[in-house]
Amino acid sequence: MTVAYKDLMMAVKKRAFVSFDYDNDSTAKMYLAGQAKNPDSPFDFKDNSITAHLTGDWEQKVRRRMENIDVVIALCGTKTHTAKGVAAEIRIAKELKKKYFLLAAYSGKSCTKPTTAAASDKVYKWTWPNLKQLIAGHR
């Protein structure tokens, strides 16, 4: 790989906000963080999701964190429909007109949507090729 090509790949990486159920799906988030480090990864992220109770207007803090991202990835586990923080983060993403998609955190399990996801939102299977396509906007 030439230096110019590598620089171009780094420049076009999408900045992602990862929303997940902290109490139940932290391990899945760690796996996603590992994939972001792959040399051919189309995305990068900092751990922006809320992991502890924030003081004051925590939703405003989430909103500020989302302002400079390109896409929101909602990791959907078996209890995501009960995760109030994930529901709030998806609602905020919609308000900010941020693109988002739902990614099944586990294969072979019934992964649920956040309550604020649209009825038409699909929960996509988590594979490396799928993830690359989803980050690129193919939904």
Side-chain angles (χ1 to χ4, degrees):
M1 178 180 327
T2 66
V3 173
Y5 178 74
K6 183 177 179 184
D7 290 342
L8 178 62
M9 288 299 292
M10 295 302 287
V12 297
K13 281 191 174 191
K14 302 277 186 171
R15 294 165 303 191
F17 181 102
V18 179
S19 181
F20 66 99
D21 179 352
Y22 182 76
D23 293 328
N24 298 294
D25 302 319
S26 293
T27 301
K29 192 273 305 185
M30 288 186 336
Y31 290 138
L32 186 62
Q35 284 189 309
K37 294 177 183 177
N38 285 345
D40 63 336
S41 176
F43 72 104
D44 192 17
F45 76 92
K46 293 180 182 173
D47 191 359
N48 287 329
S49 191
I50 300 306
T51 59
H53 296 289
L54 294 177
T55 58
D57 186 359
W58 68 270
E59 289 192 18
Q60 191 58 29
K61 292 173 183 175
V62 169
R63 187 177 299 279
R64 278 195 306 272
R65 292 176 183 190
M66 277 193 193
E67 286 176 351
N68 294 317
I69 57 99
D70 300 306
V71 64
V72 174
I73 303 169
L75 281 176
C76 297
T78 60
K79 297 180 181 178
T80 302
H81 65 288
T82 66
K84 293 180 181 178
V86 177
E89 290 169 348
I90 295 302
R91 180 181 45 76
I92 292 166
K94 288 178 173 183
E95 290 169 0
L96 293 174
K97 298 187 182 349
K98 296 294 180 176
K99 295 179 182 194
Y100 71 92
F101 62 88
L102 311 178
L103 191 65
Y106 311 100
S107 63
K109 292 186 180 182
S110 180
C111 296
T112 62
K113 295 180 184 184
T115 57
T116 52
S120 60
D121 286 343
K122 178 181 175 182
V123 178
Y124 293 93
K125 185 177 179 180
W126 184 355
T127 67
W128 188 233
N130 272 357
L131 186 55
K132 286 178 167 182
Q133 290 294 313
L134 292 164
I135 294 288
H138 303 286
R139 306 190 242 310

